[in-house]
């Protein structure tokens, strides 16, 4: 989600976050952070499970270190569970669904091995830029069709429109559950559910999660990732 293009961010996030947001100094290491620090030391079992995390700045890790991005923390969390996971970060800040569709084939062809799971997280920038919902749906569907053709399981990270987008809120919100059902993808109904009402977990730009926020997102979604992984 590129900041220089988000002229409507304050309006959107006043509804989405329900409070003014600011970055705060991280608290002393939480139990979650401590477990993350030792995650790579945990024994893992089974063959390597390759996961491709494909999205925008929410995956790319805007304004945080690469090791604190969602894909990196997800990999650590999975390994802490004994899963021999390798999560590749294919997040690009500012990507819309159209941009994602344009680079999908190139990204997949560039993988040394076919992913065991593809996590698709796009649509937020379409919403922020007021792009037609029909185009967002068409682009996500085209990506799901390509992944289905390649027989790659998908976990779809859903997004939701805030109340001030009432004119097309239902139409946008229905994209993710409907397409997940149609194409047999697993679904997280709303990727930001665990933090959107916690402004202390949002950076001062009022858009991107802090390191703690990313940690919370991982904790809230890791079980969905585990369920979406096909059997070895």
């Amino acid at each position: 989600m590129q900041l220089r293009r988000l002229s409507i961010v304050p309006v959107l996030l006043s509804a989405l976050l329900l409070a003014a947001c600011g970055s705060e100094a991280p608290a002393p290491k939480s139990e979650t952070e401590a477990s993350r620090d030792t995650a790579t030391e945990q024994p893992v079992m089974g063959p390597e499970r390759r996961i491709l995390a494909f999205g925008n700045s929410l995956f790319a890790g805007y304004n945080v270190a690469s090791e604190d991005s969602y894909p990196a923390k997800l990999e650590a969390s999975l390994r802490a569970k004994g899963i021999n996971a390798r999560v590749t970060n294919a997040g690009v800040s500012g990507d819309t669904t159209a941009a994602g569709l344009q680079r999908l084939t190139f990204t997949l062809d560039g993988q040394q091995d076919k992913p065991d799971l593809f996590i698709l997280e796009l649509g937020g920038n379409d919403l922020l830029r007021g792009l037609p919902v029909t185009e967002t749906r068409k682009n996500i569907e085209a990506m799901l069709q390509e992944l289905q053709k390649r027989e790659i399981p998908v976990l779809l990270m859903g997004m939701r429109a805030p109340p001030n987008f009432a004119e097309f809120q239902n139409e946008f919100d229905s994209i993710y559950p409907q397409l997940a059902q149609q194409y047999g993808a697993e679904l997280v109904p709303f990727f930001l559910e665990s933090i959107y009402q916690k402004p202390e977990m949002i950076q001062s730009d009022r858009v991107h999660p802090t390191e703690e926020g990313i940690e919370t997102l991982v904790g809230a979604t890791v079980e969905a990732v585990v369920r979406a992984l096909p059997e070895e």
Side-chain angles (χ1 to χ4, degrees):
M1 300 177 178
Q2 287 177 321
L3 300 181
R4 63 176 181 270
R5 301 183 181 178
L6 304 184
S7 60
I8 63 171
V9 163
V11 176
L12 171 61
L13 291 180
S14 63
L16 183 62
L17 301 179
L18 306 180
C21 304
S23 57
E24 299 181 355
K29 283 194 175 183
S30 66
E31 192 174 307
T32 306
E33 290 171 324
S35 66
R36 178 195 66 186
D37 289 346
T38 59
T40 55
E41 300 174 5
Q42 302 300 316
V44 296
M45 300 177 61
E48 185 175 75
R49 315 307 304 279
R50 298 171 296 275
I51 300 172
L52 186 61
F54 189 88
N56 51 41
S57 58
L58 295 177
F59 274 6
Y62 178 83
N63 204 28
V64 299
S66 59
E67 62 266 24
D68 292 317
S69 66
Y70 177 89
K73 288 187 174 183
L74 175 63
E75 178 178 296
S77 181
L78 291 169
R79 294 182 70 84
K81 292 177 176 294
I83 299 172
N84 186 10
R86 176 168 61 85
V87 182
T88 299
N89 190 340
V92 174
S93 293
D95 256 13
T96 60
T97 56
L101 177 59
Q102 288 177 348
R103 68 182 175 94
L104 176 65
T105 299
F106 173 82
T107 301
L108 291 173
D109 290 345
Q111 302 305 303
Q112 185 173 355
D113 300 294
K114 186 172 78 169
D116 296 298
L117 179 66
F118 186 99
I119 306 178
L120 177 55
E121 176 274 309
L122 285 172
N125 284 320
D126 296 49
L127 182 64
L128 292 172
R129 298 177 188 184
L131 300 178
V133 178
T134 53
E135 292 300 309
T136 300
R137 175 185 287 271
K138 183 176 71 174
N139 293 332
I140 294 177
E141 182 168 19
M143 286 186 274
L144 290 173
Q145 288 173 342
E146 178 65 22
L147 291 161
Q148 186 179 70
K149 183 175 71 175
R150 294 176 182 242
E151 299 182 336
I152 299 174
V154 178
L155 173 61
L156 185 59
M157 296 297 197
M159 296 298 292
R160 290 179 187 161
N164 57 308
F165 281 62
E167 67 276 13
F168 59 82
Q169 184 179 20
N170 291 337
E171 185 182 3
F172 183 90
D173 291 358
S174 66
I175 291 174
Y176 299 90
Q178 289 179 357
L179 290 181
Q181 181 176 23
Q182 182 177 349
Y183 289 93
E186 296 295 326
L187 175 68
V188 171
F190 181 30
F191 179 46
L192 301 177
E193 182 73 53
S194 60
I195 67 168
Y196 88 105
Q197 288 184 313
K198 298 177 180 178
E200 70 277 9
M201 293 188 178
I202 309 294
Q203 295 181 38
S204 57
D205 62 16
R206 302 184 179 185
V207 177
H208 298 94
T210 62
E211 292 179 17
E212 182 184 5
I214 295 172
E215 195 81 54
T216 300
L217 287 172
V218 170
T221 58
V222 64
E223 291 302 330
V225 175
V226 172
R227 291 192 298 269
L229 274 170
E231 294 184 4
E232 297 178 9

